[in-house]
Amino acid sequence: MVKIECWRDIDLDLGRFRIGLDAGDRVYTGWHQLGPIPTGGREVPDLRPDLVDWILAIDAGSRRPPPRFRLPDGPPFYRACWRACRDLPAGRLWTYRDLAVAAGRPDAARAAGSAMRHNPTPLLVPCHRILPASGGPGGFAGRTAADDPAVDLKRNLLKRGGYSRVVQPGGGILLRPGNGLEPPSYEW
C-alpha cells in the first residue's frame, strides 16, 4: 500500500481530479468519479503548480507534453509501459501492441493492456490514448462496458485531444484525428 504524503484536487470540466505525492516525490493521480484516488497525508493547495497548469491546459484541449515527474514503483514491465506511454508524443495514438513494442516486449500486448489498467498516474501517463487494434476506445480504468462512465470519460478525453468517432462502412468504430492535427501512429 502506497503512503501518500500530500495531495491536491483540481476541478476540471471532466470531473474532479487528484494529484498525490508519496515520500519519494513519486506522483499518483486519479479521478474522483472513478476511484480509487490517492488518499492519506495532507492537502497542499499549491502542490505541483507545473502539473496543475498542464492538467488545466489538457482539460481545455491542449496537446503539449506533460512536465517531468517521477513515476510510482511497480513491476518492471509495467514501469516500462508507463514510461513509454508517458513519452508518447502529444496527439499520437498507439495500440496495445505499439505500447508493448515501445516497452521492449513486442509479444506482450495483453500485458501492456494490464499495465495501462493499473496505471497509477492517469492523464499524466495518457493511457486513454492506447487503443485496441480492432478499433474503438476499448476500456478505461479496468472497465469495458460501452455505457460505463469510465469508458465515457476515455471517449471525452480523446475528443478533447482532437479525436472524433468515425463509424466504418464495414462496421467497427475508429478514432481519427480532427482539426487537421497529426494522424495517429497506428495505421487504421
Side-chain angles (χ1 to χ4, degrees), residues 29-31 33-36 96 113-120 122-123 127-128 130 137-145 148-155 157:
T29 61
W31 298 91
Q33 71 265 33
L34 298 182
Y96 293 105
S114 184
M116 293 297 94
R117 180 180 192 269
H118 296 287
N119 175 14
L123 197 57
C127 56
H128 62 281
I130 309 298
F140 193 60
R143 301 177 186 174
T144 57
D148 190 283
V151 176
D152 192 47
L153 176 61
K154 182 174 184 173
R155 281 189 208 98
L157 287 166

Side-chain angles (χ1 to χ4, degrees), residues 51-81:
L51 290 179
V52 172
D53 288 345
W54 180 83
I55 290 165
L56 291 170
I58 292 300
D59 192 49
S62 172
R63 298 176 98 186
R64 66 182 193 211
R68 295 309 281 179
F69 63 93
R70 290 195 65 203
L71 285 168
D73 290 330
F77 183 65
Y78 280 20
R79 285 185 49 82
C81 287

Side-chain angles (χ1 to χ4, degrees), residues 25-103:
D25 282 334
R26 288 174 289 267
V27 176
Y28 296 79
T29 61
W31 298 91
H32 280 258
Q33 71 265 33
L34 298 182
I37 59 171
T39 58
R42 63 188 184 356
E43 182 177 12
V44 177
D46 61 348
L47 182 71
R48 289 297 306 256
D50 59 331
L51 290 179
V52 172
D53 288 345
W54 180 83
I55 290 165
L56 291 170
I58 292 300
D59 192 49
S62 172
R63 298 176 98 186
R64 66 182 193 211
R68 295 309 281 179
F69 63 93
R70 290 195 65 203
L71 285 168
D73 290 330
F77 183 65
Y78 280 20
R79 285 185 49 82
C81 287
W82 299 337
R83 276 191 304 275
C85 186
R86 177 190 62 194
D87 297 337
L88 175 63
R92 303 292 296 269
L93 299 175
W94 276 352
T95 64
Y96 293 105
R97 183 178 187 291
D98 294 330
L99 178 61
V101 168

Side-chain angles (χ1 to χ4, degrees), residues 1-7 18 20 28 36-42:
M1 183 82 179
V2 174
K3 183 175 185 222
I4 298 297
E5 296 290 320
C6 53
W7 55 271
R18 178 167 289 179
Y28 296 79
I37 59 171
T39 58
R42 63 188 184 356

